[in-house]
């Protein structure tokens, strides 16, 4: 059967081969034709299949789709019409895997395993290559002329965006959002101590001149080690790409081009003539492997050199730059329960009142259940009669109940309210630490179960210090700080500070308006009746003053309320006696902290775990206050959420694109083809922005004890999301999760299809890298959200007060942006990943990636000094992440190349798959 209307090759499509044809699925009005007994899927193997070129087959083209033919009397099979289903004798059982289609072959043809050559005639399954609006699976015929035209237009776009940045910097007030680090106040508790960058000289390109000449020694005064090492990684990478350009590009491009001279389809290859798709000689493949080894070895050498520099940098940093980090240790999994008798009168007094008394009462129920579970009711009865469990300390006073007086509501006294709050806190503590309490009880004997109690804060501090000094020597510990969840305190403090700042600005505005009124009234001196001589300007100022007075009074009351809430949160924090499983120990010598972070402090594994502590601004106190198991559970939940998001992130993208494609004809008829493509690109751009926001949110759900560790977790989530959805997702139109499932079920598909897809999509990713050069590098300078946020706040203030914001307001609204270490390293690592993937298979990527990283390096030197500021002094987590992902990218590219090369050599014609 032959079908003419099927999509055939267009002017930029290359014929795959003349030796394979797609078979059709036959249908009648009753449905698909039946298959022989024992198989669910089958194809029609007509006796007339290979008789003529126009009978019963469809030549395979790169945009071909699987045809379904309906036997309505117009289907020609040989010399007669096929009106009914053929005999089962001519139906061939053939079930194909996902993304594969049934095909007939004749002559010599490569088998589905891409190793065995099939000769004669028969049926087989071939990979099904399909295109859609967001897919690069079918590739493009990107010629050298089109390449340079694209580069020209993108260069124009780059110049336009750079002109926008220069234009923004020409406004005095916008300089606060362009270079906020220079204008920030000297003391800001949100950031570690820093040195203000030097004032830039006049001139539109003064910032660029300084970025070109500034050295690493000068930069470290305004940056942190993490930021500086990211910058050095950019420099190392562009050195590698430009060096590989000189070593690889001339050799590989020449060999690929010469090796394609004897191929019939050379005119349609375009830039694929300088990719491995054009190679078919064994010698060329050996040269490719050799060059891959050489540039890989060089990259490893560059990484080792930068790692040595990183080590020297960390050890030479003064303590003032990293705070207590180098002298501090985190001790976690500290036992919070004990059976020891409280020491002295102070210990007994601490257990007899407040939160500790509430904890003892709450633990009594747990102890009763534990004894019952252990089958010792007699023992429990004796304990109950003696009062040792039912009344672990003095009995708690009964509280008034709203229902005791026949529905009459009775107000609780302050003491009763405090007692109710303590009971609530005790129950919350037991719920949070249920598994730890249960585990400790399981290890406690029946003789000691009645003595079980919670440790006080002072007891834990004393035991931690004694344990450390018992190992390291007396006097080595400077201080011990018990870990607490500070989120409630931080929230109330920030709310009070914001309200206080708003109240201060209202006072300043009120004073300015009064001064303006006095100045306006002074102009009317000499008039007989000053009030009658008031001008419209004075009346307008008085109206503004009345409005400002009303706003100021509201802010005063709000500030008073916020201060009261902060004071209460502060008292709750200071008087919180509940035990905590973690503490920060500061030593007098760095050597002691290094040793203490590597020793076993207890003979029972799983307790008293030690590790180096994060820096002061880097600590995540609500995670530090958790046990190791609790942090592990948080990590598992967050990783599960991250995995689901990474794999299925493209689902909403595909649904929106499908909806647009459904109405494509209407959209194109009204808006045009160009606008339709812009809409498709806009959807992808929006979801990529949403992706890095979601990766940041999920990274904050981890149980990490430091913000820096959360940042690299967010970078990992975003990087692998980009790799799976932007790289693997664009190799074909199949959703990522289906590809992963197919590869797990049939691992050989990884080798037989992955390198084909990579080479086929090389033109698409080359254009993607060019687009990133034109947009990402300059947008990192422009920072659109920062400027828009400042302008919106200014307009709102003008609408409310009809006055320009005060200098203090401008300073508050243009605070330095936190260095986006969860986003930028992942985005740039994707470009490095693509450069590694195509460094020898499509060497045109090398200079393109080199230009990208050289521009990013130059612009980020300015950003790190004048725009970004890291909220923690020294996380020291980013460089290990960069090294890890660099090796992952390199190993992935080597695996695809080395394992996929045998699938390219096809009896002297390596491009038959095209």
């Amino acid at each position: 059967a032959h079908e003419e209307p099927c999509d055939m090759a267009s002017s930029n499509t290359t014929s795959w081969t003349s030796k394979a044809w797609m078979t059709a699925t036959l249908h009648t009005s009753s449905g698909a034709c039946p298959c022989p007994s024992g198989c669910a899927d089958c194809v029609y193997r007509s006796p007339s299949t290979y008789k003529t070129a126009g009978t019963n087959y469809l030549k395979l083209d790169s945009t071909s789709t699987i045809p379904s033919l309906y036997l309505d009397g117009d289907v020609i099979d040989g010399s007669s019409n096929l009106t009914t289903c053929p005999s089962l004798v001519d139906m061939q059982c053939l079930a194909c895997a996902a993304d594969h289609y049934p095909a007939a072959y004749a002559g010599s043809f490569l088998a589905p395993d891409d190793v065995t050559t099939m000769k004669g005639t028969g049926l087989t399954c071939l990979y099904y290559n399909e295109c859609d609006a967001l897919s690069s699976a079918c590739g493009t015929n990107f010629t050298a002329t089109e390449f340079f035209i694209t580069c020209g237009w993108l260069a124009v776009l780059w110049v336009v965006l750079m002109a926008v940045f220069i234009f923004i910097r020409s406004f005095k007030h916008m300089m606060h959002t362009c270079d906020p680090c220079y204008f920030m106040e000297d003391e800001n508790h949100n950031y570690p101590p820093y040195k203000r960058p030097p004032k830039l000289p006049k001139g539109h390109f003064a910032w660029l001149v300084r970025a070109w000449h500034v050295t690493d020694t000068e930069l470290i005064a305004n940056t942190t080690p993490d930021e500086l090492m990211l910058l050095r990684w950019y420099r190392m990478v562009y050195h590698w790409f430009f060096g590989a350009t000189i070593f690889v590009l001339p050799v590989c491009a020449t060999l690929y081009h010469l090796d394609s001279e004897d191929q019939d389809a050379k005119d349609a290859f375009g830039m694929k003539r300088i990719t491995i798709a054009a190679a078919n000689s064994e010698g060329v493949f050996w040269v490719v492997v050799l060059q891959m080894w050489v540039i890989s070895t060089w990259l490893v050498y560059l990484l080792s050199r930068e790692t040595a520099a990183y080590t020297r940098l960390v050890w030479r940093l003064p303590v003032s730059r990293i705070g207590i980090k180098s002298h501090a240790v985190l001790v976690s999994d500290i036992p919070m329960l004990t059976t020891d008798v409280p020491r002295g009168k102070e210990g007994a007094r601490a257990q007899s009142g407040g939160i500790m008394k509430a904890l003892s009462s709450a633990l009594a129920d747990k102890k009763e259940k534990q004894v019952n579970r252990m089958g010792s009711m007699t023992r429990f009865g004796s304990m109950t009669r003696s009062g040792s469990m039912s009344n672990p300390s003095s009995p708690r006073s009964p509280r008034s109940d709203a229902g005791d007086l026949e529905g009459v509501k009775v107000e609780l006294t302050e003491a009763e309210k405090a007692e109710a709050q303590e009971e609530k806190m005790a129950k919350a503590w037991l719920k949070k630490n249920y598994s730890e309490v249960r585990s400790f009880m399981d290890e406690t004997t029946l003789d000691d179960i009645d003595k079980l109690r919670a440790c006080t804060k002072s007891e834990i501090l004393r035991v931690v210090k004694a344990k450390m000094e018992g190992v390291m020597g007396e006097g080595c510990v400077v201080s011990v700080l018990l870990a607490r969840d500070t989120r409630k305190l931080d929230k109330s403090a920030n709310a009070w500070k914001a309200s206080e700042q708003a109240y201060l600005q209202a006072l300043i505005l009120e004073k300015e308006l009064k001064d303006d009124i006095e100045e306006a009234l002074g102009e009317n001196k000499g008039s007989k009746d000053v009030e009658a001589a008031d001008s419209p300007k004075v009346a307008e100022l008085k109206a503004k003053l009345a409005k400002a007075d009303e706003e100021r009074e509201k802010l005063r009351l709000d500030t008073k309320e916020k201060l009261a809430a902060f004071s209460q949160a502060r008292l709750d924090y200071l008087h919180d006696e509940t035990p905590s499983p973690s503490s920060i120990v500061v030593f007098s010598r760095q050597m002691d902290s290094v040793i203490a972070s590597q020793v076993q402090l207890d003979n029972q594994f799983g307790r008293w775990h030690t590790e180096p502590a994060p820096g002061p601004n880097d600590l995540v106190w609500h995670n530090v206050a958790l046990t190791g198991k609790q942090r592990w559970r948080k990590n598992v939940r967050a990783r599960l959420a991250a995995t689901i998001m990474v794999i299925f992130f493209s689902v909403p993208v595909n649904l929106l694109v499908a909806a647009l494609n459904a109405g494509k004809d209407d959209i194109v008829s009204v808006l045009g083809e160009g606008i339709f493509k812009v809409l498709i690109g806009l959807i992808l751009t929006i979801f990529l922005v949403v992706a890095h926001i979601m990766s940041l949110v999920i990274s904050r759900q981890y149980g990490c004890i430091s913000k820096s560790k959360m940042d690299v977790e967010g970078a990992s989530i975003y990087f692998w999301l980009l790799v799976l959805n932007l790289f693997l997702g664009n190799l074909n139109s199949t959703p990522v999760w289906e590809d992963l499932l197919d590869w797990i079920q049939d691992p050989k598909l990884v080798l037989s299809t992955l390198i084909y897809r990579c080479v086929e999509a090389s033109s698409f990713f080359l254009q993607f890298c060019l687009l990133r050069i034109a947009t990402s590098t300059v947008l990192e300078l422009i920072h659109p959200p920062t400027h828009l946020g400042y302008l919106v706040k200014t307009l709102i203030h003008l609408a409310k007060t009809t006055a320009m914001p005060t200098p203090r307001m401008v300073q508050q609204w243009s605070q330095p942006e936190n260095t986006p270490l969860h986003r930028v390293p992942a985005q740039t690592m994707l470009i490095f990943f693509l450069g590694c993937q195509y460094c020898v298979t499509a060497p045109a990527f090398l200079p393109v990636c080199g230009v990208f990283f050289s521009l990013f390096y130059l612009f980020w030197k300015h950003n790190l000094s004048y725009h970004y500021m890291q909220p923690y002094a020294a996380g020291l987590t980013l460089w290990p992440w960069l090294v890890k992902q660099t090796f992952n990218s390199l190993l992935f590219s080597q695996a695809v190349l080395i394992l996929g090369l045998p699938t390219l050599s096809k009896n002297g014609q390596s491009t038959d798959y095209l």
Side-chain angles (χ1 to χ4, degrees):
H2 179 62
E3 183 184 41
E4 292 293 343
C6 186
D7 295 334
M8 298 298 291
S10 59
S11 59
N12 66 340
T13 304
T14 302
S15 174
W16 289 1
T17 178
S18 59
K19 299 175 184 176
W21 300 274
M22 184 184 299
T23 61
T25 302
L26 301 184
H27 293 260
T28 65
S29 58
S30 302
C33 291
C35 293
S37 177
C39 64
D41 301 309
C42 59
V43 294
Y44 177 41
R45 188 173 188 177
S46 169
S48 306
T49 299
Y50 302 106
K51 286 187 176 181
T52 63
T55 307
N56 197 44
Y57 74 86
L58 179 68
K59 187 177 179 180
L60 296 183
D61 301 296
S62 60
T63 56
S64 297
T65 56
I66 300 176
S68 294
L69 301 187
Y70 292 86
L71 308 180
D72 54 4
D74 295 327
V75 178
I76 305 298
D77 180 33
S79 59
S80 61
N81 287 352
L82 193 62
T83 57
T84 60
C85 287
S87 170
L88 292 179
V89 176
D90 295 326
M91 302 300 288
Q92 176 73 43
C93 293
L94 185 65
C96 293
D99 296 334
H100 286 68
Y101 54 79
Y105 65 91
S108 177
F109 190 76
L110 193 69
D113 60 5
D114 293 307
V115 177
T116 307
T117 299
M118 302 169 65
K119 294 183 178 181
T121 60
L123 295 172
T124 186
C125 293
L126 296 182
Y127 173 67
Y128 178 29
N129 211 9
E130 183 184 9
C131 299
D132 63 19
L134 283 182
S135 176
S136 64
C138 294
T140 55
N141 187 14
F142 199 41
T143 64
T145 303
E146 292 171 338
F147 171 77
F148 287 110
I149 291 175
T150 302
C151 289
W153 281 112
L154 291 177
V156 171
L157 175 61
W158 187 89
V159 171
V160 169
L161 291 176
M162 183 61 71
V164 171
F165 175 65
I166 300 299
F167 177 74
I168 292 174
R169 292 183 65 89
S170 63
F171 293 92
K172 180 180 178 181
H173 284 288
M174 298 305 292
M175 286 295 293
H176 286 78
T177 52
C178 289
D179 301 335
C181 293
Y182 176 77
F183 295 97
M184 191 176 72
E185 63 269 29
D186 292 331
E187 297 293 336
N188 190 320
H189 73 281
N190 293 321
Y191 300 99
Y194 74 102
K195 181 180 178 182
R196 190 186 303 275
K199 183 178 180 180
L200 292 172
K202 293 183 179 180
H204 292 308
F205 295 97
W207 62 273
L208 187 61
V209 174
R210 184 183 185 274
W212 181 274
H213 292 289
V214 69
T215 63
D216 290 354
T217 304
E218 295 172 303
L219 280 172
I220 193 60
N222 311 115
T223 60
T224 63
D226 284 334
E227 295 171 321
L228 182 63
M229 292 312 299
L230 177 61
L231 197 64
R232 289 178 65 97
W233 183 78
Y234 290 152
R235 184 173 62 195
M236 179 202 75
V237 168
Y238 85 70
H239 284 169
W240 184 72
F241 276 119
F242 282 139
T245 299
I246 298 173
F247 180 71
V248 175
L249 181 58
V251 177
C252 283
T254 302
L255 291 176
Y256 294 154
H257 189 274
L258 294 176
D259 224 24
S260 67
E261 290 294 340
D262 61 342
Q263 299 189 17
D264 298 334
K266 63 182 181 181
D267 294 333
F269 277 179
M271 289 197 69
K272 288 180 183 176
R273 291 190 67 183
I274 57 172
T275 68
I276 202 169
N280 71 91
S281 301
E282 183 180 352
V284 174
F285 293 151
W286 278 113
V287 171
V288 170
V289 172
L290 177 62
Q291 290 198 320
M292 188 66 182
W293 284 345
V294 171
I295 63 175
S296 298
T297 303
W298 185 36
L299 178 60
V300 172
Y301 165 74
L302 292 176
L303 274 174
S304 63
R305 191 178 66 175
E306 290 298 324
T307 302
Y310 171 67
T311 306
R312 291 193 299 269
L313 172 67
V314 172
W315 280 103
R316 290 177 181 177
L317 281 176
V319 177
S320 59
R321 291 299 308 276
I322 55 177
I324 63 170
K325 176 180 175 62
S326 60
H327 288 251
V329 168
L330 168 64
V331 183
S332 57
D333 295 318
I334 302 171
M336 295 178 286
L337 300 175
T338 183
T339 55
D340 295 340
V341 178
R343 290 188 179 182
K345 295 182 179 180
E346 181 181 353
R349 187 165 55 250
Q351 292 287 333
S352 63
I355 183 64
M356 300 308 296
K357 183 178 179 181
L359 277 176
S360 298
S361 297
L363 279 172
D365 297 333
K366 297 289 183 183
K367 290 187 284 188
E368 179 181 353
K369 293 178 181 179
Q370 177 71 6
V371 172
N372 288 334
R373 191 172 65 88
M374 298 174 67
S376 183
M377 294 301 297
T378 303
R379 171 66 176 166
F380 174 70
S382 64
M383 286 189 291
T384 303
R385 286 188 297 272
S386 65
S388 60
M389 286 190 61
S390 59
N391 298 297
S393 56
S394 60
R396 298 184 65 81
S397 58
R399 299 194 307 273
S400 300
D401 194 339
D404 289 343
L405 300 178
E406 299 181 356
V408 178
K409 186 175 182 180
V410 178
E411 288 291 334
L412 299 177
T413 64
E414 291 299 323
E416 289 174 334
K417 290 180 180 178
E419 188 174 311
Q421 179 65 20
E422 289 165 358
E423 288 187 358
K424 182 179 179 181
M425 293 174 60
K427 291 179 180 178
W429 185 89
L430 282 176
K431 181 179 179 181
K432 175 182 175 182
N433 299 283
Y434 172 78
S435 61
E436 286 70 25
V437 173
R438 178 70 174 271
S439 175
F440 193 91
M441 285 184 171
D442 288 341
E443 298 170 3
T444 305
T445 63
L446 284 174
D447 295 332
D448 292 333
I449 195 72
D450 59 323
K451 304 176 186 177
L452 185 67
R453 63 179 179 86
C455 299
T456 63
K457 179 170 67 174
S458 56
E459 283 178 323
I460 293 179
L461 293 176
R462 183 174 62 251
V463 170
V464 170
K465 184 175 182 180
K467 248 190 186 310
M468 284 296 179
E469 291 187 343
V471 175
M472 307 305 302
E474 188 176 355
C476 66
V477 176
V478 175
S479 63
V480 180
L481 181 63
L482 205 62
R484 295 290 187 196
D485 187 346
T486 62
R487 284 176 293 185
K488 181 181 178 182
L489 180 62
D490 292 339
K491 182 179 179 180
S492 59
N494 291 331
W496 173 51
K497 181 183 177 183
S499 180
E500 186 183 40
Q501 289 291 338
Y503 178 56
L504 178 61
Q505 298 304 319
L507 289 174
I508 294 173
L509 178 61
E510 183 182 21
K511 183 179 182 304
E512 290 177 348
L513 289 171
K514 288 180 179 180
D515 293 341
D516 292 342
I517 291 174
E518 290 180 4
E519 182 180 351
L521 288 174
E523 298 174 357
N524 294 325
K525 286 182 179 179
S527 174
K528 294 181 180 179
D529 187 357
V530 175
E531 292 296 330
D534 283 353
S535 64
K537 177 181 179 181
V538 174
E540 181 183 357
L541 288 172
K542 286 185 176 180
K544 289 183 180 179
L545 179 60
K547 186 177 180 181
D549 286 342
E550 182 182 353
E551 184 69 19
R552 185 255 308 155
E553 183 61 20
K554 287 171 57 179
L555 289 172
R556 184 186 69 82
L557 295 176
D558 182 69
T559 302
K560 183 179 179 180
E561 181 183 344
K562 294 293 194 302
L563 177 59
F566 168 69
S567 299
Q568 184 60 47
R570 180 174 175 272
L571 288 174
D572 292 342
Y573 176 80
L574 293 175
H575 296 157
D576 185 6
E577 287 289 333
T578 55
S580 175
S582 305
S583 64
I584 300 294
V585 182
V586 182
F587 292 88
S588 58
R589 297 185 302 174
Q590 186 176 3
M591 179 185 69
D592 292 335
S593 67
V594 173
I595 297 174
S597 64
Q598 304 176 51
V599 299
Q600 177 72 30
L601 294 178
D602 197 77
N603 59 2
Q604 188 167 357
F605 182 77
R607 292 182 181 175
W608 296 95
H609 175 71
T610 60
E611 60 182 298
N617 295 73
D618 197 18
L619 278 166
V620 182
W621 282 108
H622 58 273
N623 284 339
V624 175
L626 300 176
T627 65
K629 289 182 179 179
Q630 290 169 340
R631 290 198 291 267
W632 178 83
R633 286 194 289 267
K634 286 192 70 174
N635 287 335
V636 169
R637 291 194 295 267
R639 285 197 173 94
L640 179 61
T643 302
I644 294 174
M645 185 190 76
V646 166
I647 295 178
F648 297 101
F649 179 77
S650 60
V651 172
V653 180
N654 293 337
L655 292 176
L656 283 176
V657 171
L660 276 180
N661 283 330
K664 178 178 179 180
D665 295 338
D666 296 333
I667 296 174
V668 171
S669 63
V670 176
L671 302 176
E673 183 75 23
I675 299 298
F676 177 78
K677 291 182 178 179
V678 170
L679 290 175
I680 295 293
L682 186 62
I683 289 175
L684 183 59
T685 302
I686 292 174
F687 272 88
L688 288 179
V689 173
V690 172
H692 89 74
I693 295 175
M694 292 178 63
S695 67
L696 175 63
V697 172
I698 292 179
S699 69
R700 268 35 186 180
Q701 309 309 311
Y702 276 75
C704 304
I705 61 173
S706 64
K707 298 174 186 174
S708 57
K709 184 63 176 175
M710 288 180 171
D711 279 342
V712 298
E713 291 289 354
S716 295
I717 295 170
Y718 192 35
F719 171 64
W720 290 113
L721 183 146
L722 293 174
V723 169
L724 287 179
N725 293 275
L726 198 60
F727 176 66
L728 293 181
N730 272 286
L731 294 181
N732 71 339
S733 59
T734 307
V736 173
W737 59 90
E738 292 186 13
D739 276 337
L740 295 175
L741 185 61
D742 289 342
W743 292 344
I744 292 173
Q745 294 175 344
D746 193 0
K748 72 181 180 64
L749 292 178
V750 178
L751 302 181
S752 62
T753 62
L754 188 55
I755 194 167
Y756 289 164
R757 300 181 187 181
C758 290
V759 176
E760 186 67 20
S762 60
S763 297
F764 169 82
F765 289 120
L766 183 61
Q767 294 176 73
F768 172 79
C769 292
L770 290 171
L771 183 62
R772 298 299 289 179
I773 293 175
T775 56
S776 294
T777 54
V778 189
L779 289 177
E780 279 298 326
L781 287 173
I782 297 177
H783 308 288
T786 303
H787 302 307
L788 289 175
Y790 172 75
L791 291 175
V792 168
K793 291 177 181 178
T794 302
L795 292 175
I796 293 175
H797 181 77
L798 282 171
K800 291 175 64 177
T801 64
T802 67
M804 287 297 293
T806 63
R808 179 62 177 170
M809 286 181 177
V810 173
Q811 193 177 55
Q812 287 293 320
W813 295 346
S814 58
Q815 292 290 300
E817 184 180 350
N818 289 349
T819 310
L821 297 183
H822 69 284
R823 172 178 61 85
V824 174
Q827 291 176 336
T828 52
M829 186 62 72
L830 175 68
I831 303 299
F832 177 78
F833 177 88
L834 293 174
C836 271
Q837 181 61 42
Y838 291 105
C839 59
V840 292
T841 57
F845 274 79
L846 293 172
V848 173
C849 294
V851 171
F852 173 85
F853 281 105
S854 59
L855 288 175
F856 221 90
Y857 169 73
L858 183 63
F859 294 164
W860 256 65
K861 287 175 77 175
H862 169 75
N863 273 346
L864 292 181
S865 293
Y866 288 90
H867 188 84
Y868 289 133
M869 184 169 290
Q870 194 165 312
Y872 44 85
L876 304 182
T877 56
L878 185 60
W879 180 249
W881 184 87
L882 290 171
V883 173
K884 176 183 176 181
Q885 303 306 339
T886 301
F887 273 107
N888 286 339
S889 302
L890 186 62
L891 292 175
F892 182 85
S893 63
Q894 290 179 344
V896 173
L897 175 68
I898 302 302
L899 299 178
L901 275 180
T903 68
L904 294 178
S905 182
K906 300 183 178 182
N907 295 332
Q909 292 291 329
S910 65
T911 52
D912 276 353
Y913 77 97
L914 290 174

